[in-house]
Amino acid sequence: MSEPPRFDRGHTDDLMSFLAASPTPYHAVANAAERLEKAGFRQVAETDAWDGTAGGKYVLRGGAIVAWYVPEGAEAHTPFRIVGAHTDSPNLRVKPRPDSGAHGWRQVAVEIYGGPLLNSWLDRDLGLAGRLSLRDGTTRLVDADRPLLRVPQLAIHLDRAVNSDGLKLDKQRHMQPVWGLGEDVRDGDLIAFLEETAGLDEGSVTGWDLMVHPVEPPAYLGRDSELVAGPRMDNLLSVHAGTAALAAAAGRGPELPYIPVLAAFDHEENGSQSDTGADGPLLGSVLERSVFARGGSLEDRARALAGTVCLSSDTGHAVHPNYAERHDPTHHPRVDGGPILKVNVNNRYATDGSGRAVFAAACEKAGVPFQTFVSNNAMPCGTTIGPITAARHGIRTVDIGVAILSMHSARELCGAKDPFLLANALTAFLEG
């Protein structure tokens, strides 16, 4: 028997606000934490001793967040139900010496992060955001969310064959944005501008992690507004849904048979190998400390993990109407058809038959349809945090997500219903 859905179109409205307010992983986890605080969660520091009290807690580390809810009466060996996601998206990131320019143009030196569709960043109004590290050891978020930079495309008059031979972009020479005019390029100008933007004293910033983002806000699209266009859906759509699902599951309190967890990692787009990535120790450390804080032993930890299941939620490919031949002929996920179950026998995804059963049960409970995604055999298959989580922690893991178009573009496209269908399925899963 399915339960009434927890989320509706209002969830998609809130997703759009979340996307707009989260131009970087650091902003995304801060916004997720704010939503969890409103649901009664509290932040715990990794350097403090943890207690075993019931309730919602979360840890922030850089661009990652791990949050969990311990119901009253939970035993030390109570298994976890985990929603895994990632906070980073392919983009352009500022180099250590950012101030550059030539021929009267002032530019910002950037590196390419992950695997973006480079052409989607051309001729687009761009802002600049990220994390500033200060001389006193603290950090400050900054967001210059206005048209500030632009990567100008070469005019067709100077590249007559671009429409016939295709656009060819050199990552070093062609992707450096302009942000003003002037012959005199001075080291420190960009950081001084951001110090002023953030209301900081001149010279107070000694380190930075900065990235470029489109300033055009998310929007409904289509005759009946049945689509949503926006940035960073891969994978803030899942982070937002997981945050909402965890807050909703926590409302069940002592009725929960599992300990629900949200683990949103950074650096998935470049391999997950960092202290805030899925291939790092963060999740394992939090789960183990949660067991020990409730008086558990290594045996209790082993028992808890043996009964744990993780849904690795990440966006996937909807069938493209102009390139249907690139998809498997018998698996054509559609937008607004419900979340997708991702399968790959070469373990690019972690799903197996038993995992499929867990996800099918959650969708049935939530009254949510789901679809299956398999890659065309002639095309390489991407991967997620799913196989990493399964292998690193010995946790049964299932790869799922929402089907979108324009993945890794500066502006992606999904169905307006799929975000809240995913959130309902995740809530049912966390509630067991």
Side-chain angles (χ1 to χ4, degrees):
M1 179 71 68
S2 63
E3 297 181 353
R6 301 288 185 91
F7 302 107
D8 54 20
R9 183 69 169 248
H11 175 87
T12 305
D13 294 339
D14 189 62
L15 167 65
M16 295 165 70
S17 298
F18 185 81
L19 293 174
S22 304
T24 75
Y26 314 112
H27 290 80
V29 298
N31 288 322
E34 181 180 4
R35 283 164 162 77
L36 291 172
E37 290 272 359
K38 291 178 180 177
F41 285 67
R42 62 181 176 87
Q43 183 176 1
V44 294
E46 293 184 81
T47 53
D48 290 345
W50 293 3
D51 61 53
T53 56
K57 304 176 178 70
Y58 68 90
V59 166
L60 289 180
R61 184 192 289 184
I65 182 171
V66 179
W68 66 103
Y69 181 84
V70 179
E72 289 283 355
E75 298 186 76
H77 61 265
T78 298
F80 301 92
R81 281 283 176 104
I82 304 169
V83 171
H86 68 88
T87 60
D88 59 320
S89 302
N91 59 14
L92 313 179
R93 302 204 172 188
V94 175
K95 288 184 175 181
R97 294 188 63 184
D99 298 290
S100 66
H103 307 292
W105 295 97
R106 300 181 70 183
Q107 295 176 276
V108 175
V110 296
E111 286 187 273
I112 309 302
Y113 178 83
L117 285 169
L118 294 178
N119 63 294
S120 71
W121 290 84
L122 302 179
D123 296 336
R124 191 180 291 275
D125 295 339
L126 303 170
L128 192 62
R131 179 179 64 176
L132 301 174
S133 297
L134 309 186
R135 193 175 299 278
D136 63 6
T138 63
T139 60
R140 180 78 64 86
L141 297 184
V142 64
D143 184 9
D145 189 30
R146 66 175 178 84
L148 183 67
L149 306 100
R150 184 183 179 95
V151 183
Q153 188 169 191
L154 185 64
I156 193 170
H157 312 82
L158 304 178
D159 188 8
R160 294 284 184 178
V162 64
N163 289 331
S164 57
D165 295 347
L167 178 64
K168 296 178 177 62
L169 294 171
D170 182 283
K171 292 180 180 179
Q172 178 63 37
R173 293 185 295 125
H174 300 152
M175 296 306 298
Q176 307 306 309
V178 300
W179 78 302
L181 300 174
E183 298 288 350
D184 183 20
V185 176
R186 298 180 300 274
D187 283 343
D189 277 0
L190 181 69
I191 299 307
F193 165 77
L194 292 174
E195 286 173 334
E196 182 181 359
T197 300
L200 298 170
D201 292 337
E202 183 179 353
S204 59
V205 172
T206 55
W208 52 87
D209 302 280
L210 299 167
M211 54 204 76
V212 172
H213 66 275
V215 298
E216 183 182 3
Y220 286 107
L221 183 146
R223 185 191 66 179
D224 300 316
S225 298
E226 65 264 50
L227 300 169
V228 175
R232 300 177 293 280
M233 291 183 183
D234 178 14
N235 186 35
L236 294 188
L237 190 157
S238 295
V239 175
H240 177 260
T243 303
L246 178 60
R252 286 280 298 273
E255 300 177 32
L256 290 171
Y258 302 100
I259 295 173
V261 180
L262 169 68
F265 302 102
D266 202 351
H267 302 131
E268 189 271 348
E269 297 293 355
N270 63 7
S272 295
Q273 292 185 322
S274 71
D275 68 323
T276 53
D279 204 19
L282 180 58
L283 176 60
S285 174
V286 168
L287 299 183
E288 184 173 72
R289 292 183 68 177
S290 174
V291 170
F292 292 168
R294 284 175 279 122
S297 63
L298 286 174
E299 179 71 10
D300 292 314
R301 173 190 175 277
R303 292 176 65 187
L305 294 186
T308 292
V309 184
C310 174
L311 291 188
S312 164
S313 182
D314 202 347
T315 54
H317 302 295
V319 61
H320 197 302
N322 299 337
Y323 301 91
E325 73 281 358
R326 302 293 182 98
H327 300 263
D328 182 83
T330 60
H331 295 80
H332 279 177
R334 299 188 175 192
V335 297
D336 277 352
I340 55 174
L341 181 76
K342 299 159 122 177
V343 179
N344 180 265
V345 294
N346 292 304
N347 211 38
R348 301 293 286 173
Y349 304 130
T351 306
D352 62 11
S354 64
R356 184 187 193 281
V358 171
F359 185 59
C363 289
E364 181 178 1
K365 178 183 177 184
V368 169
F370 74 93
Q371 312 172 82
T372 304
F373 171 83
V374 179
S375 287
N376 184 311
N377 286 335
M379 303 290 293
C381 181
T383 190
T384 68
I385 65 166
I388 294 171
T389 303
R392 182 170 182 83
H393 306 291
I395 292 172
R396 180 165 47 152
T397 303
V398 190
D399 272 296
I400 66 159
V402 162
I404 69 171
L405 291 183
S406 305
M407 186 184 295
H408 286 201
S409 171
R411 195 166 177 85
E412 297 162 325
L413 187 70
C414 77
K417 296 179 181 178
D418 278 332
F420 64 79
L421 292 176
L422 174 66
N424 283 311
L426 294 182
T427 303
F429 165 74
L430 290 178
E431 292 179 346

